[in-house]
Amino acid sequence: MTAHHAIEITLTRPATGCELLRARRVVALSSNTDHTRLLALQRAKTPGRALRVLRQRLDAVLPIDVLTTHYPDWQGYVLLNCALSHTARTAIRQTAAACGQRPRDFLSQAMADAAARHKEERARHLTTQLKGRLAQHTPEELLLCTASALLSHHNRQQSGKSSSTPS
């Protein structure tokens, strides 16, 4: 069965009006206000095939940086399609071979590791920010702010409920 796949297109720079006009002659597109991200529907049997077909159709028309599937596949993955230079592809192939992996598996693992590192760094940064803010206030001020937030939350919940009186 051939399905339609939503593909998000990230551009290296904002698309000009002429580029968008030419691209819309090839495929139906919607764009954000600054014309750096587009969305298209591509008919194909698989999400990966949809990415490849759309890349072939639009590569000469738009300054495409990355294509991604807009929705996760059945395994929960969002597929990514980026055009790599010959030098980058060679380096990936050589490094993957040295690790005894296929290039796609090596790249997938490297990206997962980078995402995990980014998540850890962000958590560490937020923790540092929180500690810095906590150091600026006395325990009494923190307790007062917490109590105030809890009471306002409780009052909002209570005002949302309908009051019924027993008859």
Short mmCIF file of all heavy atoms in Angstrom, two decimals, residues 133-134 137-153:
data_model
loop_
_atom_site.label_atom_id
_atom_site.label_comp_id
_atom_site.label_asym_id
_atom_site.label_seq_id
_atom_site.Cartn_x
_atom_site.Cartn_y
_atom_site.Cartn_z
N ARG A 133 20.13 30.40 41.58
CA ARG A 133 18.95 31.16 41.97
C ARG A 133 18.57 30.88 43.42
O ARG A 133 18.14 31.77 44.15
CB ARG A 133 17.79 30.85 41.05
CG ARG A 133 18.02 31.44 39.68
CD ARG A 133 16.81 31.40 38.82
NE ARG A 133 17.13 32.02 37.55
CZ ARG A 133 16.63 31.64 36.41
NH1 ARG A 133 15.78 30.64 36.37
NH2 ARG A 133 16.97 32.25 35.30
N LEU A 134 18.73 29.62 43.85
CA LEU A 134 18.42 29.28 45.24
C LEU A 134 19.36 29.98 46.19
O LEU A 134 18.97 30.37 47.29
CB LEU A 134 18.48 27.76 45.44
CG LEU A 134 17.37 26.94 44.78
CD1 LEU A 134 17.62 25.46 44.98
CD2 LEU A 134 16.00 27.34 45.30
N HIS A 137 18.36 33.56 47.51
CA HIS A 137 17.20 33.77 48.37
C HIS A 137 17.36 33.03 49.69
O HIS A 137 18.00 31.99 49.76
CB HIS A 137 15.92 33.29 47.67
CG HIS A 137 15.66 34.00 46.38
ND1 HIS A 137 15.18 35.27 46.30
CD2 HIS A 137 15.86 33.59 45.09
CE1 HIS A 137 15.07 35.63 45.05
NE2 HIS A 137 15.49 34.63 44.29
N THR A 138 16.73 33.58 50.70
CA THR A 138 16.77 32.93 52.01
C THR A 138 15.78 31.76 52.03
O THR A 138 14.83 31.73 51.23
CB THR A 138 16.37 33.92 53.12
OG1 THR A 138 15.00 34.29 52.93
CG2 THR A 138 17.25 35.16 53.11
N PRO A 139 15.97 30.82 52.95
CA PRO A 139 15.00 29.71 53.05
C PRO A 139 13.58 30.19 53.30
O PRO A 139 12.62 29.61 52.79
CB PRO A 139 15.53 28.90 54.23
CG PRO A 139 16.99 29.20 54.28
CD PRO A 139 17.11 30.62 53.82
N GLU A 140 13.43 31.28 54.06
CA GLU A 140 12.10 31.80 54.34
C GLU A 140 11.43 32.32 53.07
O GLU A 140 10.23 32.11 52.84
CB GLU A 140 12.17 32.94 55.38
CG GLU A 140 12.59 32.50 56.77
CD GLU A 140 14.11 32.32 56.91
OE1 GLU A 140 14.87 32.77 56.01
OE2 GLU A 140 14.53 31.71 57.90
N GLU A 141 12.21 33.00 52.21
CA GLU A 141 11.66 33.51 50.95
C GLU A 141 11.23 32.34 50.04
O GLU A 141 10.19 32.40 49.40
CB GLU A 141 12.69 34.37 50.22
CG GLU A 141 12.97 35.70 50.89
CD GLU A 141 14.12 36.45 50.25
OE1 GLU A 141 15.10 35.80 49.79
OE2 GLU A 141 14.06 37.69 50.21
N LEU A 142 12.04 31.30 49.99
CA LEU A 142 11.71 30.14 49.17
C LEU A 142 10.43 29.47 49.68
O LEU A 142 9.57 29.07 48.89
CB LEU A 142 12.86 29.14 49.16
CG LEU A 142 14.13 29.61 48.46
CD1 LEU A 142 15.24 28.60 48.65
CD2 LEU A 142 13.87 29.82 46.98
N LEU A 143 10.30 29.34 51.00
CA LEU A 143 9.11 28.73 51.59
C LEU A 143 7.88 29.57 51.28
O LEU A 143 6.82 29.04 50.91
CB LEU A 143 9.29 28.57 53.11
CG LEU A 143 8.14 27.92 53.85
CD1 LEU A 143 7.90 26.51 53.33
CD2 LEU A 143 8.43 27.90 55.34
N LEU A 144 8.00 30.88 51.39
CA LEU A 144 6.89 31.78 51.11
C LEU A 144 6.47 31.68 49.64
O LEU A 144 5.28 31.59 49.32
CB LEU A 144 7.29 33.22 51.45
CG LEU A 144 6.22 34.28 51.25
CD1 LEU A 144 5.02 33.99 52.15
CD2 LEU A 144 6.78 35.66 51.54
N CYS A 145 7.42 31.66 48.73
CA CYS A 145 7.12 31.53 47.29
C CYS A 145 6.45 30.20 46.98
O CYS A 145 5.48 30.14 46.21
CB CYS A 145 8.39 31.67 46.46
SG CYS A 145 9.03 33.34 46.41
N THR A 146 6.95 29.13 47.58
CA THR A 146 6.37 27.80 47.35
C THR A 146 4.94 27.74 47.87
O THR A 146 4.04 27.26 47.17
CB THR A 146 7.23 26.72 48.03
OG1 THR A 146 8.56 26.83 47.56
CG2 THR A 146 6.70 25.34 47.74
N ALA A 147 4.73 28.26 49.09
CA ALA A 147 3.38 28.26 49.66
C ALA A 147 2.44 29.09 48.80
O ALA A 147 1.30 28.69 48.54
CB ALA A 147 3.43 28.80 51.09
N SER A 148 2.89 30.23 48.35
CA SER A 148 2.07 31.10 47.51
C SER A 148 1.68 30.40 46.21
O SER A 148 0.53 30.45 45.78
CB SER A 148 2.83 32.39 47.22
OG SER A 148 2.11 33.19 46.33
N ALA A 149 2.65 29.73 45.58
CA ALA A 149 2.38 29.02 44.33
C ALA A 149 1.39 27.88 44.55
O ALA A 149 0.46 27.68 43.76
CB ALA A 149 3.68 28.48 43.74
N LEU A 150 1.55 27.15 45.64
CA LEU A 150 0.63 26.05 45.93
C LEU A 150 -0.78 26.55 46.22
O LEU A 150 -1.77 25.97 45.75
CB LEU A 150 1.15 25.23 47.12
CG LEU A 150 2.38 24.37 46.84
CD1 LEU A 150 2.90 23.75 48.13
CD2 LEU A 150 2.08 23.30 45.81
N LEU A 151 -0.88 27.64 46.97
CA LEU A 151 -2.20 28.19 47.29
C LEU A 151 -2.89 28.73 46.04
O LEU A 151 -4.09 28.51 45.86
CB LEU A 151 -2.09 29.28 48.35
CG LEU A 151 -1.81 28.79 49.76
CD1 LEU A 151 -1.54 29.96 50.70
CD2 LEU A 151 -2.98 27.96 50.28
N SER A 152 -2.17 29.41 45.17
CA SER A 152 -2.80 29.94 43.96
C SER A 152 -3.23 28.81 43.04
O SER A 152 -4.28 28.87 42.41
CB SER A 152 -1.88 30.92 43.24
OG SER A 152 -0.74 30.27 42.74
N HIS A 153 -2.43 27.75 42.99
CA HIS A 153 -2.80 26.57 42.19
C HIS A 153 -4.06 25.93 42.76
O HIS A 153 -4.98 25.58 42.02
CB HIS A 153 -1.64 25.57 42.15
CG HIS A 153 -1.94 24.31 41.40
ND1 HIS A 153 -2.05 24.28 40.03
CD2 HIS A 153 -2.20 23.06 41.84
CE1 HIS A 153 -2.35 23.05 39.66
NE2 HIS A 153 -2.45 22.29 40.74
#
